[in-house]
Every structure is written in structure tokens, then in C-alpha cells.
């Protein structure tokens, strides 16, 4: 997701625990497929696999672990908007069609659900949005607050089932604590497809120009069931995983962020194109989000 945040947030004008041994064993039996961009199908991950955990050995410790038990979102861990929250939020520079509201975020039966609805919604930025939707962030409740949690390096992983409906833009990603992008890391996002996952890193060149590199993996119908999306972020590498299998790697030093970052999961709408007229609702389901650090 290309984002352009800065002081005051985006412009007002809208322009378009883990059973790790069992998991590892099962993944070893089921993993298959080629490198990033391969046309091989995704490996089958049995329901018993709850996490692959960090792919490299080491003194890892689990520093964030939310299985969304209970009946409401843990407000100590999560905000329901970006850091420029004011009675909801959006990214006005990203051509998105939704206004995020906390009422679109729910927790039940061990799952987080982000619900997008076709419902005209007046934003506090003065614009009217055709959709409302939900998101979670480890960031702030408002621009001048303190973020709940930020991370520099680690292994980031979430079990997510994306919606099947067209016109949705689900993402699991990270934004700097400074709120200025780039850098930015998109662990997963789906653009105009439910069968190919995109993986991005964004950075700024020495001359100030923005740049990005993309990995892609598929085809597989990611809306049929939960899949585990992971990122290993180290000083010398970014490595993306889908269902415990490496799918994309970046090692150029200038492309690897070294600043504290917030973690986000969101269901945006209308990128790169609007949902068809017969789509009025969609849900993104999240089984868990976990972060390990050394």
C-alpha cells in the first residue's frame, strides 16, 4: 500500500501458545511450490497448524500474541484507526472508498472480524465515503498520543482469511512510528485478486525519490480458508513467508528499514477499482496476530 502520511495526517481532499513443533512438522510434510511469482499452488496447511513460528533458530521471545479471545478487542494492544484518528479515519491519498470506524471491528469465537459495508458515511474530513470498514493498529488513538507498541526487527505473523468479494483491498503491513512513509513494509495485500498475494517494501532513494520492490505468489484461492502470512525482518534481510514457506526476499541494505514500526491489519475498499454493484458487504477474518523478537 502506497501511503503518504505526515503532520496532520493525509490531506483533506480525497483523491481516489503455539504448538510450534507440531506446526513445523506438518509444514514440512505439506510445503511445496516454487519461488516468488511461481504458478505452483499454495501448500495445504491443516487446521491443526496454528503457527510456523520464526523460521530461524535463536533466542526468540513472543512479544505480541493476540488470539482474539473474549468478546471485544483488547484496547491495550490495538487502536481502531490510523494515528490521525478523529472520529474515524482513512488514507485520503490512496484512492480508498471507505471511512474506518470502530463499530466495524468485532471479536467473537476466537476471531477478529473486519466488516466492510456499502453505507454512505460522512467523515470528519468533510468528505462523504460510499463505504465504511474496519482496521486495527498498534499505533496511537490520536495524532499527539503515544503508540501502543512499535517494533524494530523481528518475525511478524498473522492467520488471515481474506474476503471473496471483488473490490476489496485487505492488507497486513507496517508503517513507521514517525508516520512518515516510506519506509513501509507490506507483509501481504491483495489488489483486484483473491488468488495472488502481493508483498512490498517501500523506501526512499538518496535523491529523495520513492521506490519499491514487489514480490507476488499464487495462484491459490486465498479466500477459501485461513492462510498464515509472515515476515522475517532482520538488519540484513526482509523475508516473506506464506504458510511457512519462503516466497520473497530482499537483501539490499538501502531497502531494509531500521526504524520502529507499527503493525496494522485493515480491510480497505475500492483499490484498484470499486466493488461491483451487487457487492454490499465483505468480511476479513483474523485468527491471530503474533510478533517474536530476539
Amino acid at each position: 500500500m502506497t501511503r503518504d502520511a505526515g503532520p496532520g495526517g493525509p490531506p483533506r481532499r480525497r483523491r481516489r501458545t503455539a504448538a510450534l513443533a507440531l506446526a513445523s512438522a506438518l509444514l514440512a510434510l505439506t510445503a511445496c511450490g516454487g519461488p516468488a511469482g511461481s504458478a505452483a499452488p499454495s501448500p495445504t496447511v491443516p487446521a491443526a497448524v496454528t503457527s510456523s513460528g520464526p523460521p530461524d533458530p535463536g533466542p526468540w521471545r513472543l512479544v505480541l500474541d493476540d488470539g482474539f479471545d473474549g468478546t471485544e478487542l483488547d484496547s491495550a494492544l490495538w487502536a481502531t484507526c490510523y494515528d490521525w484518528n478523529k472520529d474515524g479515519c482513512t488514507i485520503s491519498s490512496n484512492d480508498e472508498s471507505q471511512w474506518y470506524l470502530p463499530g466495524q471491528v468485532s471479536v467473537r469465537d476466537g476471531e477478529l472480524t473486519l466488516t466492510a459495508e456499502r453505507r454512505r458515511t460522512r467523515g470528519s474530513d468533510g468528505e462523504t465515503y460510499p463505504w465504511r470498514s474496519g482496521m486495527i493498529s498498534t499505533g496511537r488513538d490520536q495524532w499527539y498520543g503515544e503508540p501502543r507498541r512499535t517494533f524494530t526487527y523481528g518475525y511478524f505473523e498473522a492467520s488471515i482469511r481474506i474476503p471473496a468479494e471483488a473490490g476489496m483491498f485487505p492488507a497486513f503491513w507496517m508503517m513507521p512510528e514517525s508516520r512518515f512513509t516510506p519506509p513501509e513494509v507490506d507483509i501481504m495485500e491483495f489488489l483486484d485478486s483473491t488468488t495472488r498475494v502481493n508483498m512490498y517494501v517501500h523506501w526512499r532513494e538518496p535523491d529523495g525519490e520513492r521506490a519499491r520492490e514487489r514480490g507476488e505468489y499464487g495462484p491459490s484461492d486465498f479466500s477459501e480458508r485461513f492462510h498464515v502470512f509472515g515476515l522475517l525482518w532482520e538488519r540484513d534481510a526482509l523475508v516473506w513467508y506464506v504458510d511457512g514457506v519462503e516466497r520473497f526476499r530482499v537483501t539490499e541494505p538501502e531497502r531494509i528499514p531500521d526504524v520502529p514500526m507499527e503493525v496494522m491489519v485493515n480491510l480497505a475498499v475500492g483499490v484498484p477499482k470499486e466493488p461491483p454493484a451487487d457487492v454490499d458487504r465483505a468480511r476479513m477474518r483474523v485468527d491471530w496476530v503474533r510478533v517474536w523478537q530476539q
Side-chain angles (χ1 to χ4, degrees), residues 19-269:
L20 297 180
L22 173 61
S24 299
L26 288 169
L27 283 166
L29 289 171
T30 59
C32 62
S38 169
S42 294
T44 300
V45 179
V49 176
T50 58
S51 173
S52 62
D56 294 341
W60 294 99
R61 57 192 178 93
L62 194 59
V63 296
L64 187 151
D65 182 9
D66 196 349
F68 303 108
D69 299 319
T71 58
E72 59 184 33
L73 188 70
D74 186 346
S75 60
L77 289 178
W78 304 105
T80 54
C81 253
Y82 296 118
D83 294 340
W84 46 88
N85 174 34
K86 184 179 179 183
D87 299 322
C89 61
T90 194
I91 297 180
S92 62
S93 60
N94 213 32
D95 293 328
E96 297 176 8
S97 300
Q98 83 294 329
W99 184 256
Y100 289 118
L101 290 171
Q104 304 305 114
V105 179
S106 61
V107 172
R108 182 178 178 182
D109 298 329
E111 289 182 9
L112 167 79
T113 300
L114 306 178
T115 301
E117 293 182 280
R118 187 188 294 273
R119 184 174 171 185
R120 287 175 62 83
T121 303
R122 181 79 167 176
S124 58
D125 60 356
E127 301 286 343
T128 298
Y129 296 81
W131 286 75
R132 58 176 56 184
S133 190
M135 65 166 290
I136 60 171
S137 166
T138 64
R140 304 162 172 83
D141 285 316
Q142 46 88 15
W143 185 258
Y144 296 104
E146 291 294 323
R148 286 160 171 77
R149 298 290 299 276
T150 62
F151 308 92
T152 308
Y153 311 120
Y155 184 64
F156 305 80
E157 197 173 58
S159 176
I160 296 172
R161 184 173 179 178
I162 66 167
E165 291 78 9
M168 300 298 132
F169 183 22
F172 170 36
W173 63 291
M174 295 190 293
M175 177 180 74
E177 177 185 11
S178 70
R179 295 157 295 201
F180 291 90
T181 62
E184 174 189 327
V185 182
D186 302 316
I187 302 172
M188 76 81 168
E189 61 182 29
F190 287 84
L191 285 158
D192 199 27
S193 173
T194 61
T195 63
R196 289 191 174 275
V197 58
N198 294 287
M199 301 157 278
Y200 282 97
V201 58
H202 302 252
W203 70 94
R204 195 177 294 277
E205 297 283 12
D207 62 3
E209 289 297 312
R210 295 169 178 266
R212 66 180 182 176
E213 184 174 354
R214 179 176 73 99
E216 181 184 89
Y217 175 66
S220 178
D221 189 349
F222 287 93
S223 68
E224 284 188 333
R225 61 181 176 84
F226 284 89
H227 289 266
V228 177
F229 302 97
L231 173 78
L232 179 64
W233 172 20
E234 299 184 309
R235 294 179 184 275
D236 58 357
L238 291 167
V239 188
W240 285 255
Y241 296 82
V242 179
D243 294 330
V245 180
E246 180 180 332
R247 296 300 177 190
F248 181 44
R249 177 183 289 258
V250 171
T251 56
E252 293 83 352
E254 70 277 5
R255 303 183 183 186
I256 300 170
D258 61 355
V259 297
M261 303 188 88
E262 302 167 4
V263 173
M264 282 158 284
V265 182
N266 61 271
L267 179 55
V269 182

